[in-house]
Amino acid sequence: PYAGVPAIRAWVSEFCRHYALSGVVCIDFFVTDDGVVKAIECNPRFSSNIMEFHRNRGELGRVLLSPDTVPASEGPVLPRPNAAEVNWLLTDLYYEVAKPAAIHAASCRWWRLPKYTATLFSILLFKKDAYFDPHDPLPFLALYLLHLPVLLARTLYNGNRWAKIDLCIGKMTEEFGD
């Protein structure tokens, strides 16, 4: 959500200019309550944010595969404004349903239930799942019906405690390490 924040764009531009960086860079930020931008991590690789470029198909590939053919005046490739926010459906649904506030609202304050229902429908209708493609649903189905159950069964069989299922990288994040 912060990709369009001018302070972050300015920081990244200056950082890349200062260190003469080009290519792929993934920088994580913390933005304070008063809007101060603080970089906390920089990696020379793709991260899950590559999914935000799903509408840039040819453009991003051209820049990555033939950077010498792209004039510097074109500037960095950015996600298109019309690109739907990418999510991992099960993760969003889990956090929406499992939030203590949602559980409390559903059981004690029935008048708040429409808000949570609207949020769930918004997730389903307006976000793009990272794995789902109506023309090729197999990766989506394999993730949820095969990969995740096998990860969970293996973790439980080995007696390991796990902290979360990370759908972005497709693994169980176990307590005290991976």
Side-chain angles (χ1 to χ4, degrees):
Y2 293 107
V5 175
I8 290 178
R9 299 258 323 147
W11 192 98
V12 171
S13 294
E14 177 57 26
F15 180 81
C16 291
R17 187 199 60 72
H18 179 78
Y19 290 102
L21 299 178
S22 64
V24 177
V25 63
C26 174
I27 303 173
D28 292 338
F29 290 94
F30 177 78
V31 180
T32 64
D33 290 339
D34 56 347
V36 176
V37 174
K38 297 183 180 204
I40 57 174
E41 182 179 31
C42 178
N43 294 298
R45 61 171 168 75
F46 289 115
S47 72
S48 61
N49 62 7
I50 189 64
M51 300 305 300
E52 300 298 329
F53 290 89
H54 63 91
R55 295 258 190 223
N56 297 63
R57 295 177 195 262
E59 181 183 11
L60 184 60
R62 179 176 62 101
V63 170
L64 293 173
L65 297 174
S66 305
D68 296 338
T69 65
V70 180
S73 60
E74 287 188 22
V77 177
L78 302 173
R80 298 211 181 267
N82 66 342
E85 181 182 346
V86 175
N87 72 332
W88 284 262
L89 180 64
L90 187 63
T91 301
D92 278 6
L93 292 176
Y94 171 77
Y95 285 122
E96 194 57 38
V97 172
K99 284 186 216 172
I103 294 167
H104 185 70
S107 63
C108 299
R109 296 195 173 96
W110 57 268
W111 59 87
R112 290 190 182 172
L113 192 57
K115 175 185 178 242
Y116 292 103
T117 304
T119 302
L120 291 173
F121 278 114
S122 175
I123 290 167
L124 292 170
L125 296 174
F126 301 112
K127 291 186 178 183
K128 182 202 177 308
D129 185 84
Y131 286 92
F132 183 73
D133 180 343
H135 303 293
D136 184 14
L138 190 57
F140 177 83
L141 295 172
L143 173 70
Y144 291 109
L145 300 177
L146 180 65
H147 184 65
L148 292 180
V150 168
L151 285 178
L152 183 56
R154 184 186 69 193
T155 302
L156 294 174
Y157 177 79
N158 291 332
N160 298 337
R161 293 178 55 115
W162 51 281
K164 70 176 184 172
I165 300 172
D166 192 331
L167 296 175
C168 176
I169 56 177
K171 72 174 188 178
M172 301 290 283
T173 303
E174 296 178 4
E175 289 186 353
F176 311 114
D178 305 6

